[in-house]
Amino acid sequence: MKAIWRPLGRSAANALLTVAIVLAAWWAVVSFTGISPYVAKGPADVWEFLFVDTDAAANRAGLWPLLGQTLQDSLLGFVTGMVAALVLAVAFSLSRAIEAGVMPLALLLRSIPLVAIAPVIILITGRGTAASVAVIGSIVVLFPALASILFGLSRASAQSLDLVRVYGGGRFAQLRKVNIPGALPSLFAAARVSVPGAVTGALLAEWLSTGTGIGGMIQKFTAQARFDDLWASVAIITLVTLVLYNVVQIIENVVLARMGMVTTVE
C-alpha cells in the first residue's frame, strides 16, 4: 500500500507545483510585457469572469459546452491514435517486412507540418466531419506513442522469450506473455504524452475543420473582442489537460505498483 500512496502523493505535489508555475508565468507575462489590459487578462481577471462577476454563471454556462465538445474531439483523437500506435507497434514486432515498408511512410508523414497537410486531410474526409477530427488528432498522437511503445516492446527479457519458445510458444505468444506486459511502463508513458497531444490535435481540427469547441471559437472570440472569453477558455482547457495528464499518471502508478513494477514509478 505504501508503494501505491507514495507515487500518488508525488503526482499530486507535481501537479500543484506545475499549476503554481503556470499561474506565476501567466501573471508575469501579463504584468510585465506591456500588453494592454483590455487584451491581456491575468489569472485574477479570469477568476472574476468565471466566479465573481454578476454574470459569472452565464459566462460559465457559455464555455462548458465548448469544453465538452473539445474533450469529446480529444478523446476521439486519443483513442484512434493510441490504438493505431499499438497495432502498428505489434505489427512491426511481428514482421520486419511490415516495419520496413510502413515506417518510411510514417516518417515522411511526420516530417510534414500538420498544418500543411490538414487541408488535404479535410478535403478527403470532409469538412466538419468526425473523420477529419479523428485523423488530425490521431496523427498528433500516433508518432510519439508509436516510438514509445516500440521501445518498450524491444526491451523484453531474452530469457523470458526463450522460456516461451521452449514451451512451444511462437512469436505471437511471446508478444502476449512477455513483450506487451513488459512494455506497460512505455505504454503508459505514451498515454501521458498523448493526452496534451490529443487536446492540441482536437483544437487544431476544430479551428481548421469543424468550427466547434474551444478551437473553433478562439478565432471568433478574437474577432469579436471577447477577450475575457478567450483567456478563460484557454485557461480552462489548459487546466483540464493538466488534470487529465495527472489522472493517467495516477492510473499508471497504481497499475504498475500492483504489478510489482515499483521501481518504474518511484
Side-chain angles (χ1 to χ4, degrees):
M1 185 62 66
K2 182 179 178 180
I4 295 176
W5 285 109
R6 182 181 300 171
L8 291 182
R10 185 179 297 116
S11 298
N14 290 339
L16 293 176
L17 179 60
T18 302
V19 170
I21 293 174
V22 170
L23 290 176
W26 179 8
W27 174 82
V29 169
V30 171
S31 301
F32 300 114
T33 55
I35 305 176
S36 170
Y38 176 72
V39 175
K41 306 298 180 181
D45 299 317
V46 171
W47 178 265
E48 291 181 2
F49 177 75
L50 292 175
F51 301 106
V52 178
D53 291 347
T54 55
D55 54 350
N59 296 334
R60 295 195 303 270
L63 294 178
W64 293 148
L66 303 180
L67 175 63
Q69 182 62 52
T70 297
L71 290 180
Q72 180 181 329
D73 294 338
S74 301
L75 178 62
L76 180 60
F78 176 83
V79 173
T80 305
M82 287 296 296
V83 170
L86 183 59
V87 170
L88 285 176
V90 171
F92 291 171
S93 298
L94 289 173
S95 173
R96 295 299 180 186
I98 296 177
E99 181 179 5
V102 176
M103 184 60 80
L105 296 177
L107 293 176
L108 177 63
L109 183 63
R110 180 65 177 129
S111 65
I112 303 175
L114 185 56
V115 175
I117 63 173
V120 178
I121 296 173
I122 295 171
L123 181 65
I124 295 173
T125 58
R127 178 175 295 276
T129 62
S132 64
V133 175
V135 173
I136 294 175
S138 63
I139 289 177
V140 178
V141 170
L142 174 62
F143 299 103
L146 178 60
S148 180
I149 296 172
L150 278 175
F151 175 75
L153 292 175
S154 66
R155 297 189 65 191
S157 167
Q159 292 81 0
S160 299
L161 294 174
D162 291 339
L163 181 62
V164 174
R165 187 182 299 111
V166 167
Y167 279 94
R171 183 70 187 107
F172 186 77
Q174 290 176 329
L175 276 171
R176 183 168 56 88
K177 295 180 179 295
V178 178
N179 293 88
I180 293 179
L184 279 179
S186 295
L187 183 61
F188 276 114
R192 278 191 284 111
V193 172
S194 297
V195 166
V199 174
T200 301
L203 294 173
L204 182 61
E206 291 169 349
W207 173 42
L208 296 175
S209 177
T210 66
T212 60
I214 291 177
M217 287 301 297
I218 283 178
Q219 187 173 7
K220 298 176 183 178
F221 287 153
T222 304
Q224 298 170 5
R226 296 169 58 185
F227 297 113
D228 287 310
D229 293 274
L230 173 65
W231 285 86
S233 61
V234 172
I236 289 173
I237 194 61
T238 302
L239 179 61
V240 170
T241 302
L242 177 62
V243 170
L244 293 176
Y245 178 92
N246 282 275
V247 166
V248 175
Q249 188 170 47
I250 288 172
I251 296 174
E252 173 189 3
N253 291 338
V254 172
V255 171
L256 296 185
R258 287 185 176 276
M259 294 185 64
M261 299 181 179
V262 181
T263 55
T264 306
V265 296
E266 287 189 344

